[in-house]
Amino acid sequence: MTAQSASGQLVLVVDFGAQYGQLIARRVRDLGVYSEIVPCDMPAEEMSALVPAAIILSGGPASVYAEDAPSIDPGVLDLGVPVLGFCYGQQIMAKTLGGTVSHTDKGEYGAAPLERLDGACGSAQVPESMLFAGTPCEQTVWMSHRDAVSQVPEGFVVTSRTDVCPVASMECSERRLYATQFHPEVRHTPYGDQMLSNFLFEICGLERTWTMDSIIEDSVAAIREQVGESRVILGLSGGVDSSVVAALCAKAIGDQLTCVFVNHGLLRQDEPEEVEEVFTKQFDVDFVHVHAEDRYAGLLAGVTDPEAKRRIIGEQFWKEFFAVAEDLAEDGRPVQYLAQGTIYPDIIESGARKTGGKASTIKSHHNLIPFPDGVHFDLIEPLDHFFKDEVRALGTALGLPDHIVHRQPFPGPGLAIRIIGEVTPEKLTMLKGADAIVREELDAYNEAQFEERGERPVWQYFAVLPDVKSVGVMGDERTYQRPIILRAVESSDAMTADWAKLPCELLGRVSSRIVAEVPGINRVAYDITSKPPATIEWE
């Protein structure tokens, strides 16, 4: 699915290494317009071939005068499409077009009061700015800069200023070139969405075509066109991404899809049954439940190193998976395509970029799949243009239940890396029981907070079983049993995370229930370490 087929219009976000690069693309999509991120060194000719309807230049951490400062092909500004630059994007626009960027004596970071200087706010020299339409003459914006434009290029006018920055925004409406030193894409700029809307809909004349209905319609058509009459196989984990791929492919090709659910016995309590129920009763797919619990238990016996666990679990998964593919071929149903839950951040983080169609090779983050000799699948990656929140919305629109759509991140090796040390049936039983209590209590807490505040504050929560025992007292008798460690974090993207400030009453209830209901546990501890320095997972 190309960007054009997905929406009929495309906004390119040119990335200069900004911390807000993905945020810009998401804000544009939130407004109903499809966007993609491209590197700043993309030639103008290549950018033009994508037929963008608009271009946004992101911010960036460098100085435009640094020796290795990123720049753009000057032809990008001559493509005849509207361009909007933020922060470094304004500076590179000014420098490229003959303006001046200076190193100021005083930086400007955080909230800053801004004064509009255009005709709508009393200026006789500067015409009314379409970018600022519908926003106050005095407002607050979010700044993060040291360098700033000191002289605008020929043909540009200054449309706003702050106490520190005399050129807080500039524009050449005749060429439809606009730029701001501040960041409209962050929520700390209250009228940022209005400015983006003005750019997209008033200046560029775009329409809100990036909707769930259009996404599903275009995605289904693209899958059908790619697959034809061929068969598709999918490794279904029960996680959000693979489940949404399964639902989308089921809608597109029905029983041409075989979903392989490898049950390694390391999933959370009741998850295998939940996954099977959804995909056997709700969707018309060929569902294969591989019961590999005993094989995994044998392979993991005596293994304590976390990396060894990961390697064993990953390698065995693909052995189980390819065994199903071979069985299908022997039954006269050979598989041509492998469907994967690759999402857009995976593409960005791997440094890859797609300019149309589906990639025919596995990207770097998938290169470790040990294909057997003589085995080849063409890839189908229906979610490779979507951010995580869009994947969840897509899952809801496709009819997936909330317990799958809003499922927390869960490691591929499952509970094996939440059991410190050797994985045994006894430890698995204890951890599954404790983890079920943690999720039940914190699910309820998150939903209550959502009803009250409109957000679920805890990003991820689970139990960890350490490889130690502790002394306790139960029924006037000494115990020597295992502790459980509760991990709960707040985060937006899992790159950084802070430990969740849960109410003491909730922590006390979780602890009391685990000790009372899970045999073999006599103590509960709460991990209050942020990421960094710790990671979210323990292994």
Side-chain angles (χ1 to χ4, degrees):
M1 176 177 61
T2 66
Q4 277 68 33
S5 68
S7 66
Q9 50 193 2
L10 168 65
V11 174
L12 293 180
V13 177
V14 180
D15 183 18
F16 291 96
Q19 61 176 321
Y20 299 135
Q22 291 190 36
L23 181 58
I24 297 171
R26 292 177 66 174
R27 289 285 178 263
V28 172
R29 293 187 186 194
D30 286 346
L31 291 169
V33 179
Y34 181 74
S35 63
E36 281 191 20
I37 299 173
V38 297
C40 61
D41 60 357
M42 177 181 280
E45 183 178 356
E46 187 176 339
M47 220 176 276
S48 179
L50 299 176
V51 196
I55 295 171
I56 297 178
L57 309 179
S58 83
S63 165
V64 294
Y65 293 115
E67 185 175 345
D68 57 349
S71 60
I72 57 169
D73 181 340
V76 169
L77 301 176
D78 292 321
L79 292 178
V81 300
V83 180
L84 174 61
F86 299 156
C87 195
Y88 187 91
Q90 168 166 292
Q91 296 168 21
I92 202 68
M93 182 186 292
K95 181 175 181 290
T96 301
L97 296 176
T100 304
V101 177
S102 302
H103 189 68
T104 60
D105 294 333
K106 182 180 179 182
E108 194 172 25
Y109 303 97
L114 175 135
E115 177 188 2
R116 286 177 59 181
L117 301 174
D118 63 318
C121 294
S123 172
Q125 292 77 34
V126 180
E128 181 176 353
S129 172
M130 291 179 68
L131 186 67
F132 283 94
T135 71
C137 293
E138 295 183 356
Q139 55 188 283
T140 300
V141 297
W142 188 260
M143 289 284 196
S144 181
H145 70 100
R146 186 78 182 191
D147 293 353
V149 175
S150 54
Q151 180 178 342
V152 301
E154 183 178 352
F156 280 73
V157 294
V158 179
T159 53
S160 69
R161 69 186 176 195
T162 69
D163 293 340
V164 173
C165 185
V167 185
S169 61
M170 65 180 195
E171 65 183 56
C172 178
S173 58
E174 182 179 352
R175 296 179 62 184
R176 295 191 296 175
L177 301 178
Y178 300 80
T180 70
Q181 182 57 59
F182 57 88
H183 290 274
E185 72 273 26
V186 302
R187 295 303 186 197
H188 302 292
T189 299
Y191 294 94
D193 274 355
Q194 180 65 52
M195 296 175 202
L196 278 172
S197 292
N198 291 340
F199 178 70
L200 296 172
F201 307 121
E202 303 304 322
I203 294 170
C204 302
L206 304 183
E207 297 180 356
R208 300 176 190 268
T209 58
W210 184 248
T211 65
M212 278 303 121
D213 288 343
S214 70
I215 288 169
I216 292 173
E217 181 180 343
D218 290 330
S219 298
V220 165
I223 292 169
R224 287 174 179 166
E225 181 181 358
Q226 182 182 3
V227 171
E229 300 299 319
S230 301
R231 292 197 64 79
V232 178
I233 194 169
L234 166 69
L236 181 62
S237 69
V240 179
D241 300 334
S242 68
S243 295
V244 172
V245 170
L248 193 57
C249 288
K251 185 176 181 65
I253 57 175
D255 61 6
Q256 290 173 247
L257 172 68
T258 295
C259 290
V260 180
F261 178 62
V262 178
N263 186 351
H264 47 32
L266 304 169
L267 294 176
R268 291 168 286 203
Q269 187 167 290
D270 299 328
E271 279 189 331
E273 294 78 13
E274 291 173 353
V275 172
E276 180 166 4
E277 181 177 4
V278 168
F279 286 97
T280 57
K281 296 183 178 179
Q282 188 172 342
F283 294 95
D284 179 25
V285 299
D286 178 24
F287 182 87
V288 179
H289 189 156
V290 180
H291 285 279
E293 299 97 315
D294 291 342
R295 289 189 288 278
Y296 274 95
L299 290 168
L300 291 171
V303 178
T304 60
D305 179 73
E307 288 308 307
K309 293 180 193 176
R310 290 179 184 272
R311 185 183 67 254
I312 290 167
I313 293 167
E315 289 176 353
Q316 185 63 25
F317 171 84
W318 289 110
K319 289 179 182 178
E320 304 285 350
F321 182 83
F322 289 125
V324 175
E326 290 176 0
D327 289 343
L328 291 172
E330 290 176 1
D331 291 342
R333 298 181 293 161
V335 176
Q336 180 178 344
Y337 289 96
L338 170 64
Q340 296 193 132
T342 306
I343 63 175
Y344 195 41
D346 296 332
I347 306 297
I348 298 168
E349 290 164 10
S350 69
R353 70 172 181 260
K354 296 184 184 181
T355 57
K358 289 289 182 242
S360 59
T361 56
I362 297 174
K363 282 168 279 304
S364 59
H365 58 290
H366 292 132
N367 278 341
L368 297 180
I369 296 175
F371 286 105
D373 291 340
V375 174
H376 170 77
F377 296 114
D378 294 325
L379 288 189
I380 177 169
E381 297 176 311
L383 305 181
D384 62 356
H385 284 79
F386 299 93
F387 288 104
K388 191 69 159 190
D389 54 347
E390 293 172 322
V391 173
R392 294 188 192 278
L394 186 59
T396 297
L398 287 165
L400 284 170
D402 283 349
H403 66 79
I404 286 182
V405 170
H406 296 292
R407 181 159 283 165
Q408 297 179 50
F410 189 63
L415 298 179
I417 59 169
R418 292 179 180 172
I419 293 175
I420 312 303
E422 182 184 7
V423 178
T424 67
E426 179 190 21
K427 291 180 181 178
L428 270 172
T429 299
M430 283 189 282
L431 183 55
K432 286 181 179 182
D435 187 75
I437 292 170
V438 170
R439 288 187 292 120
E440 179 184 339
E441 292 288 349
L442 269 74
D443 281 350
Y445 171 75
N446 248 3
E447 290 309 309
Q449 293 298 303
F450 181 76
E451 291 181 6
E452 181 179 336
R453 299 160 45 190
E455 63 178 357
R456 298 175 178 88
V458 193
W459 164 273
Q460 191 175 3
Y461 37 93
F462 53 88
V464 177
L465 185 68
D467 194 23
V468 296
K469 290 186 176 182
S470 67
V471 174
V473 177
M474 290 184 180
D476 295 328
E477 292 184 359
R478 177 185 182 276
T479 63
Y480 189 55
Q481 298 177 333
R482 295 190 179 277
I484 279 288
I485 297 168
L486 169 61
R487 183 71 160 142
V489 298
E490 299 171 352
S491 181
S492 60
D493 55 13
M495 298 300 292
T496 60
D498 193 14
W499 61 279
K501 314 305 187 290
L502 299 177
C504 293
E505 296 81 2
L506 174 59
L507 290 171
R509 187 164 61 251
V510 170
S511 176
S512 296
R513 285 194 59 192
I514 289 175
V515 172
E517 298 176 30
V518 183
I521 302 296
N522 68 352
R523 186 184 299 269
V524 176
Y526 188 31
D527 180 350
I528 59 170
T529 318
S530 298
K531 176 188 179 181
T535 56
I536 296 177
E537 296 288 347
W538 270 56
E539 286 194 342

